[in-house]
Amino acid sequence: MSTNKKSIIIICCIFLVVALLFTVMVLTSRIQFNDESTVGNTAGNLNNGGLFCESEEQVFFSNAYDNNTLYCMNPDETKIRKIGSNTVASINAGGEYIYYYMESGTNGTGLGFMNRTAGIYRSDRKGKHTVCLDRTFAVTMQLCGNYLYYQDLDTKSGASLSKIKIDKSDKTTVADYIINPVSYVNGSIYFNGTQDDHSLYTLNTRSDNITKVWQSDIWNPIYQDGYIYYMDVANNYRLCRYSLSGDVVEMLTNDRVDFFNVYDYYIYYQTSSSTNPALKRMYIDGTNNETVIEGVYENINITSQYVYFNLFNEPVPVYKTSTFGGTYVTTFDAARDAAMENIR
């Protein structure tokens, strides 16, 4: 074979290899978009920090025993594994990806380091191929179809509601004031006003138009099955629900409430009391009210099998109880043990 023919064959082989590598790179970097009905996490979890998120037989969680870094497990707490190395909150999952607010890296300290790393990130479901979507300070966020809506606390432009597409395109300021976007269903975000009143509003995610739904005085509304569950600001923050179809209010408890979460047919909530504070639960109609554990707790996150929470201002130990079973409370030892294995 002549030298020229050998050179041509080598060049052709190199070209084919480069073309193949380019094709693989394009295919692996292509974003898989979601159905418009996709919701990243439950509103109740996100109102409680978004520290747990269940999606497609997996639970992604912020492990308090390991600097709140990202872990993954089965809903029954088996196969726990660490999939990130940064402090995360507001965890969302949908389709091929997980999304979260990263507060800081584990290998840096100080405000300057925070300014460089804090932001909204996207990873695949194994915690790999991480991309920063927006480098900003965010309080909470919700995946609504193919957009992330988030409270944007930019140090230059101030507080606002922003959105960004999951492929990092089309960042838009939706409102120049704070809106809690976590209660999303069927193209609408339900939220309480923060400007002139605390009435119930909706934001249409197709047009970003805002409409007042109900003149009221509420906080942290959560939509479920035609009802809005909320804290009644005008009446000592008791829990109530409002029927959107019937225009009827039902009082669920007279207890003053600090935090609550709605999951299926249960409401878990923390009472605010100087004498008998407790974490309680009841059915969504207010019946069968019972104490889970006495004391002051926060970060009430719920999965299909467990409710997780911790003492106020004490991240560990993390406590848990069965979501639908008895109210026997234990500690989340599997997360502690997994953290110890990774720290060694």
Side-chain angles (χ1 to χ4, degrees):
M1 185 180 293
S2 67
T3 302
N4 287 338
K5 287 184 177 180
K6 288 181 178 179
S7 298
I8 291 172
I9 292 173
I10 292 172
I11 292 172
C12 288
C13 288
I14 293 173
F15 176 80
L16 288 172
V17 170
V18 171
L20 180 61
L21 290 174
F22 179 77
T23 301
V24 170
M25 182 183 69
V26 170
L27 291 175
T28 55
S29 63
R30 185 178 296 168
I31 297 298
Q32 300 295 315
F33 288 104
N34 304 315
D35 183 271
E36 291 300 322
S37 63
T38 301
V39 182
N41 200 347
T42 66
N45 282 355
L46 292 171
N47 278 337
N48 285 273
L51 304 180
F52 289 77
C53 176
E54 185 168 353
S55 170
E56 298 180 13
E57 303 299 321
Q58 289 182 293
V59 174
F60 302 96
F61 68 100
S62 176
N63 193 343
Y65 294 97
D66 189 6
N67 198 38
N68 287 103
T69 52
L70 185 61
Y71 278 64
C72 182
M73 65 180 176
N74 294 335
D76 63 359
E77 299 183 351
T78 58
K79 296 185 178 180
I80 292 185
R81 55 208 177 274
K82 184 173 182 175
I83 61 172
S85 57
N86 300 296
T87 300
V88 301
S90 287
I91 303 170
N92 283 248
E96 300 296 319
Y97 308 103
I98 52 178
Y99 309 85
Y100 47 86
Y101 173 63
M102 191 181 84
E103 295 175 318
S104 66
T106 55
N107 297 318
T109 58
L111 182 59
F113 184 81
M114 282 288 289
N115 285 334
R116 290 194 302 272
T117 61
I120 295 172
Y121 288 77
R122 183 194 74 223
S123 301
D124 65 23
R125 296 178 71 90
K126 294 181 180 179
K128 308 297 184 182
H129 307 293
T130 302
V131 175
C132 180
L133 301 180
D134 190 12
R135 204 172 299 281
T136 187
F137 293 97
V139 176
T140 190
M141 65 180 182
Q142 176 66 280
L143 175 65
C144 307
N146 288 303
Y147 282 87
L148 287 161
Y149 282 76
Y150 55 101
Q151 294 179 352
D152 192 353
L153 302 183
D154 188 274
T155 54
K156 296 180 180 179
S157 59
S160 63
L161 176 71
S162 295
K163 71 174 184 180
I164 193 167
K165 204 167 186 179
I166 62 172
D167 64 357
K168 201 178 176 178
S169 67
D170 195 24
K171 180 181 177 181
T172 306
T173 299
V174 178
D176 61 358
Y177 54 93
I178 287 294
I179 289 175
N180 184 351
V182 301
S183 188
Y184 172 71
V185 61
N186 296 331
S188 293
I189 294 172
Y190 291 87
F191 66 97
N192 59 264
T194 58
Q195 296 295 98
D196 302 323
D197 58 33
H198 293 153
S199 293
L200 178 66
Y201 291 82
T202 59
L203 186 153
N204 185 319
T205 57
R206 297 175 181 86
S207 63
D208 287 337
N209 290 331
I210 293 173
T211 305
K212 181 183 283 190
V213 175
W214 176 44
Q215 182 70 37
S216 49
D217 195 5
I218 68 174
W219 199 252
N220 281 354
I222 294 176
Y223 175 92
Q224 180 173 291
D225 297 333
Y227 287 93
I228 298 294
Y229 296 83
Y230 64 92
M231 297 159 68
D232 186 355
V233 177
N235 291 285
N236 200 33
Y237 290 86
R238 65 187 183 184
L239 271 180
C240 298
R241 70 175 182 177
Y242 170 69
S243 170
L244 290 168
S245 60
D247 191 29
V248 174
V249 172
E250 298 175 66
M251 183 192 71
L252 303 177
T253 176
N254 261 323
D255 290 327
R256 181 183 171 93
V257 173
D258 286 331
F259 315 102
F260 77 101
N261 197 337
V262 183
Y263 192 94
D264 204 348
Y265 54 82
Y266 268 123
I267 301 174
Y268 285 80
Y269 66 99
Q270 173 64 44
T271 64
S272 177
S273 169
S274 59
T275 55
N276 298 299
L279 177 66
K280 295 185 176 183
R281 76 175 184 185
M282 60 185 169
Y283 291 145
I284 54 175
D285 62 359
T287 60
N288 198 36
N289 192 307
E290 57 186 334
T291 296
V292 176
I293 187 171
E294 295 180 348
V296 181
Y297 297 89
E298 62 177 349
N299 297 325
I300 308 166
N301 280 242
I302 306 179
T303 70
S304 60
Q305 296 200 28
Y306 294 104
V307 181
Y308 299 93
F309 51 94
N310 57 269
L311 280 165
F312 186 74
N313 278 339
E314 294 183 26
V316 292
V318 178
Y319 297 95
K320 68 173 186 177
T321 190
S322 172
T323 301
F324 300 107
T327 56
Y328 179 67
V329 174
T330 59
T331 51
F332 188 13
D333 293 341
R336 180 202 60 199
D337 295 344
M340 291 176 64
E341 286 293 325
N342 282 289
I343 292 170
R344 287 174 185 171

